[in-house]
Amino acid sequence: MAQEVASLIRHDIDVSNMLYGSAHFMALQLAPEWEIAPGVGRPEIVAAHKRGQRMWIVTGKAWYVLYHKQLGWALELCLEANPQRRKSIVQPDASSGIAVHGHPALVRRWQQQRGLFRPNTITFVEVTFDCEHSERRLRLELSGRCPPEGFEAVMSMIPAWRCH
């Protein structure tokens, strides 16, 4: 069940560089108990384009950490944008039942080991969708050692995230 939008706090993900100026990635809507922090690397903008009155990151990546201080949960978030290909519209999985800002999305889940000497099992959840308005394919990847409840809490907010 999706979070009530009125109770969510908007976090605009805007990235700037000297070549493109400021460009918009998307807006995350998070419950008040969740916070966002910069991730391991600086955002990478390869290309941006203007659609309507806004500059959009059309090719690039950005990394953030979503965390719930009270419960000690943390998830890495990788946002990735690529040009939308007309012939390869995302075919959503009907069983996922998730849409991002009204766009049907494909959800994929898996686990893998990370670490050389003391490997840990890391859970991954990937959400992919096409935004026709900004002419982009967006991929959101959540990962971490957070319990399943943490992933589900963030997944319940994703339908309220805004791609355009």
Side-chain angles (χ1 to χ4, degrees):
M1 176 179 272
Q3 285 270 340
E4 188 66 39
V5 176
S7 67
L8 302 178
I9 298 169
R10 182 178 173 130
H11 301 270
D12 288 315
I13 306 298
D14 294 319
V15 179
S16 61
N17 71 14
M18 292 179 60
L19 186 59
Y20 297 109
S22 183
H24 188 64
F25 217 114
M26 68 185 308
L28 312 183
Q29 302 273 4
L30 298 175
E33 59 271 11
W34 285 90
E35 297 186 38
I36 186 169
V40 295
R42 293 186 46 81
E44 299 172 358
I45 301 174
V46 177
H49 62 213
K50 191 168 187 175
R51 296 295 183 264
Q53 298 300 315
R54 183 166 243 171
M55 184 69 76
W56 301 97
I57 296 169
V58 70
T59 305
K61 282 187 175 183
W63 297 269
Y64 295 91
V65 176
L66 305 178
Y67 61 96
H68 191 300
K69 267 188 183 177
Q70 296 156 327
L71 297 175
W73 294 344
L75 293 169
E76 294 178 43
L77 170 65
C78 175
L79 302 172
E80 182 176 4
N82 287 295
Q84 181 184 8
R85 304 281 185 231
R86 296 281 181 225
K87 294 180 182 178
S88 62
I89 301 294
V90 169
Q91 296 299 317
D93 178 0
S95 66
S96 76
I98 192 171
V100 182
H101 197 189
H103 304 297
L106 175 65
V107 177
R108 195 169 69 100
R109 300 170 188 260
W110 72 95
Q111 292 185 323
Q112 76 183 50
Q113 297 289 312
R114 266 195 200 159
L116 184 59
F117 299 109
R118 294 179 54 188
N120 293 303
T121 301
I122 306 298
T123 300
F124 292 83
V125 177
E126 176 185 80
V127 178
T128 306
F129 63 98
D130 289 323
C131 176
E132 296 81 15
H133 180 81
S134 60
E135 298 178 18
R136 304 178 297 161
R137 170 164 291 167
L138 293 160
R139 187 179 75 84
L140 320 170
E141 183 185 276
L142 298 166
S143 63
R145 292 179 16 205
C146 187
E149 303 85 45
F151 281 93
E152 294 313 313
V154 173
M155 290 295 290
S156 74
M157 295 180 274
I158 287 178
W161 293 10
R162 301 184 57 84
C163 52
H164 65 270

